[in-house]
Amino acid sequence: MPKLEGFEFWSHTLGGARHVVAPMVDQSELAWRLLSRRHGAQLCYTPMLHAQVFVRDANYRKENLYCEVCPEDRPLIVQFCANDPEVFVQAALLAQGYCDGIDLNLGCPQMIAKRGHYGAFLQDEWDLLQSMILLAHEKLSVPVTCKIRVFPEIDKTVRYAQMLEKAGCQLLTVHGRTKEQKGPLSGSASWEHIKAVRKAVAIPVFANGNIQCLRDVERCIQDTGVQGVMSAEGNLHNPALFEGRSPAVWELAEEYLDIVRQHPCPLSYVRAHLFKLWHHTLQVHQLLREELAKAKTLEGVAAVSRELKLRCQEDMARQKEGENPAGGLPFFHWICQPYFRPGPKEGSKENRGAGSKRALEEEESNMDVLSKNKQKKQLRNPHKTFDPSLKPKYARCDQCGNPKGNRCVFNLCRGCCKKRAFKEMADCPGHGLLFKTKLERSLAWKAAQPRLQDPQQAGPGESGGLPEVLGGALA
């Protein structure tokens, strides 16, 4: 059967999916996908997988895809991050038998993506992206799709989308934020960018951003003309979002835990999901937040969830008629509802400067009250201090900035020193690298060995004379 493309792929293979669960690292695992599908999701993506690790590590393939095969979990698109055409295609070939499409992540804005040179940090390398999509389109038996972030300029975003379409992308998901819009600086997604892309390409487009309830889904489709809408954070706080329902938190928490018992996943995933689902309740019952964080087993996590349910039912019993939800929430805390991330001016400090994670950590270290994370560390080690002035100061490597060796002859860290010493065939006693010494020893040993004679120079009476030996034997 020939590979379906564009709208045929969307309408036949994906069933005309309009309600889509986004790829989320450590969060869109099989159990969560099954829960979301039960509540209105029509298409799901796997968490982002690293193409290079997927190719070289059989256990990684097994844990993240092969062992998660489930007939109910279709249609399914597997997402990879990659920056090499050959590696991307090798990973996709290993995964294509377990999914309906392969997605290239061009939207991750996190610092780890910058260090690894993937995600949104490839969006200026159009030649590389063209070669990756083109090769995948030629080699794979399933369609290749892309998830992107926008540029500040609409026209550049449109040209970017058209370039991907021309290279062979069969479905495009557009997150209406730039790569700089993340964390406290997320702001609103631009549906104008998404609308412009939808008008400019001849392949299906999914919209991502500003989706907190079913009304947002319907309004986004109407305003932008996209074929479907993808939700990430909205889905994490209310998996019934695509049903248009806001059920009691414990209803979905209990259902999710039941699915996890059938389809196990790491406990860290489960705990993270419950922190999202119970987010608003944990602001009220903060002691149970610590209990949930300390739980070491699935049953321990389930016990905390049951206790939260009991606390909520007690709060419901005390609720007065006509009482409004506290804290400006649209619903009472025990109801699944959106979480609106505070902007930089709405946080605990009036002005957080650049708003970077490191800047926030430095500010917190100067505060009298430690953050919860630091309080946990201090519980484990009462003598621990977070005063930056008491931290040991390390001299930096001249090349990479890591701590250098105190006795390194090149003033480098061990990794950089090893490369330089090998290149220059030199020694560094400080790092125990003896390339020059070993070379000299090797040459001296070779010089001391007796030289083997050339068989052609051997005399007639010597054992090396093969003709004479044979002649004597024949006589």
Side-chain angles (χ1 to χ4, degrees):
M1 181 180 174
K3 179 168 63 176
L4 298 181
E5 299 181 355
F7 278 92
E8 283 191 341
F9 165 60
W10 172 68
S11 59
H12 292 90
T13 306
L14 303 184
R18 290 160 62 90
H19 300 158
V20 186
V21 174
M24 297 174 283
V25 175
D26 297 346
Q27 296 281 264
S28 58
E29 82 287 356
L30 175 61
W32 190 260
R33 297 197 300 266
L34 293 177
L35 176 70
S36 300
R37 289 180 191 277
R38 291 182 185 182
H39 295 283
Q42 297 161 337
L43 169 65
C44 293
Y45 284 62
T46 66
M48 180 194 75
L49 304 177
H50 289 260
Q52 195 170 46
V53 182
F54 196 84
V55 169
R56 72 167 185 257
D57 191 336
N59 285 331
Y60 184 79
R61 294 195 293 272
K62 184 178 176 182
E63 292 167 4
N64 289 280
L65 185 62
Y66 295 174
C67 283
E68 293 202 341
V69 175
C70 177
E72 303 168 50
D73 189 34
R74 302 296 280 268
L76 177 70
I77 292 180
V78 173
Q79 187 187 70
F80 286 107
C81 68
N83 55 23
D84 181 280
E86 293 292 340
V87 173
F88 175 50
V89 170
Q90 287 176 38
L93 287 169
L94 291 168
Q96 66 179 2
Y98 300 84
C99 63
D100 301 288
I102 298 292
D103 188 75
L104 177 60
N105 182 335
L106 301 175
C108 181
Q110 303 303 328
M111 186 55 65
I112 191 171
K114 185 176 183 180
R115 290 197 296 267
H117 191 53
Y118 61 81
F121 297 94
L122 295 178
Q123 67 177 180
D124 289 313
E125 301 187 33
W126 291 16
D127 289 340
L128 172 63
L129 297 181
Q130 273 184 312
S131 62
M132 291 176 73
I133 301 299
L134 186 62
L135 187 63
H137 180 55
E138 289 175 355
K139 300 288 186 182
L140 301 182
S141 61
V142 297
V144 60
T145 69
C146 297
K147 185 173 186 289
I148 66 171
R149 284 198 169 219
V150 300
F151 289 94
E153 307 85 6
I154 290 180
D155 62 330
K156 188 174 182 180
T157 304
V158 166
R159 285 187 280 112
Y160 182 41
Q162 289 173 329
M163 177 273 293
L164 294 172
E165 178 190 17
K166 187 177 179 181
C169 175
Q170 302 303 316
L171 185 149
L172 193 62
T173 301
V174 184
H175 188 154
R177 294 183 174 91
T178 65
K179 70 175 184 289
E180 290 76 28
Q181 287 181 274
K182 59 184 179 179
L185 304 176
S186 289
S188 296
S190 169
W191 286 0
E192 287 302 314
H193 283 71
I194 299 172
K195 182 178 180 180
V197 169
R198 174 65 203 96
K199 287 182 177 180
V201 298
I203 56 174
V205 175
F206 290 161
N208 184 210
N210 300 349
I211 305 300
Q212 300 288 358
C213 62
L214 187 60
R215 287 193 306 276
D216 292 337
V217 173
E218 294 164 348
R219 189 164 58 87
C220 182
I221 292 173
Q222 184 177 356
D223 290 357
T224 63
V226 293
Q227 279 63 52
V229 170
M230 178 182 283
S231 175
E233 197 152 331
N235 165 263
L236 291 175
H237 286 275
N238 181 12
L241 179 152
F242 290 127
E243 286 183 319
R245 293 195 309 125
S246 293
V249 173
W250 59 81
E251 176 186 325
L252 294 177
E254 289 170 356
E255 186 177 359
Y256 171 64
L257 290 169
D258 286 341
I259 296 173
V260 170
R261 292 184 181 99
Q262 298 171 42
H263 302 280
C265 64
L267 188 66
S268 60
Y269 297 8
V270 181
R271 189 187 291 112
H273 280 302
L274 291 186
F275 268 118
K276 294 281 187 183
L277 287 171
W278 287 110
H279 173 82
H280 297 292
T281 297
L282 290 171
Q283 309 304 308
V284 178
H285 301 288
Q286 295 194 10
L287 290 178
L288 289 175
R289 171 185 289 277
E290 300 298 325
E291 295 300 317
L292 182 57
K294 291 176 184 176
K296 301 298 183 185
T297 64
L298 182 61
E299 289 312 311
V301 168
V304 177
S305 188
R306 286 193 296 271
E307 181 62 27
L308 284 163
K309 176 182 176 179
L310 290 174
R311 299 286 183 93
C312 288
Q313 289 173 336
E314 291 170 3
D315 292 344
M316 291 169 66
R318 289 194 296 268
Q319 181 186 342
K320 298 176 183 177
E321 188 175 348
E323 185 180 350
N324 292 322
L329 297 177
F331 306 108
F332 289 98
H333 63 79
W334 54 82
I335 301 296
C336 287
Q337 57 193 294
Y339 166 67
F340 297 98
R341 191 189 298 273
K345 292 184 179 178
E346 298 169 9
S348 59
K349 279 205 167 260
E350 210 169 294
N351 185 3
R352 290 193 182 270
S356 69
K357 185 173 181 180
R358 188 175 296 276
L360 295 176
E361 288 174 350
E362 286 172 359
E363 281 187 6
E364 284 178 358
S365 67
N366 294 327
M367 294 169 62
D368 293 334
V369 181
L370 293 175
S371 67
K372 290 180 180 176
N373 191 32
K374 289 177 179 176
Q375 287 176 22
K376 288 180 197 172
K377 290 180 180 178
Q378 211 164 44
L379 280 174
R380 293 194 292 266
N381 181 6
H383 301 294
K384 190 171 183 66
T385 178
F386 297 99
D387 186 350
S389 64
L390 299 178
K391 286 185 178 180
K393 305 294 182 185
Y394 298 104
R396 295 185 178 275
C397 169
D398 293 344
Q399 288 189 6
C400 68
N402 287 327
K404 73 170 186 178
N406 289 332
R407 294 181 293 165
C408 177
V409 296
F410 300 116
N411 289 319
L412 301 174
C413 66
R414 180 176 175 80
C416 296
C417 176
K418 188 174 182 180
K419 292 176 185 175
R420 182 166 172 183
F422 178 77
K423 185 177 179 181
E424 298 181 5
M425 208 48 62
D427 287 350
C428 177
H431 279 124
L433 302 172
L434 304 174
F435 293 109
K436 181 181 177 182
T437 301
K438 288 179 179 178
L439 177 63
E440 290 172 348
R441 286 176 183 171
S442 174
L443 293 173
W445 179 84
K446 287 180 181 177
Q449 300 304 305
R451 295 183 63 184
L452 296 175
Q453 282 188 308
D454 189 338
Q456 294 178 354
Q457 296 176 353
E462 296 179 25
S463 61
L466 186 60
E468 287 77 0
V469 173
L470 289 174
L474 290 171

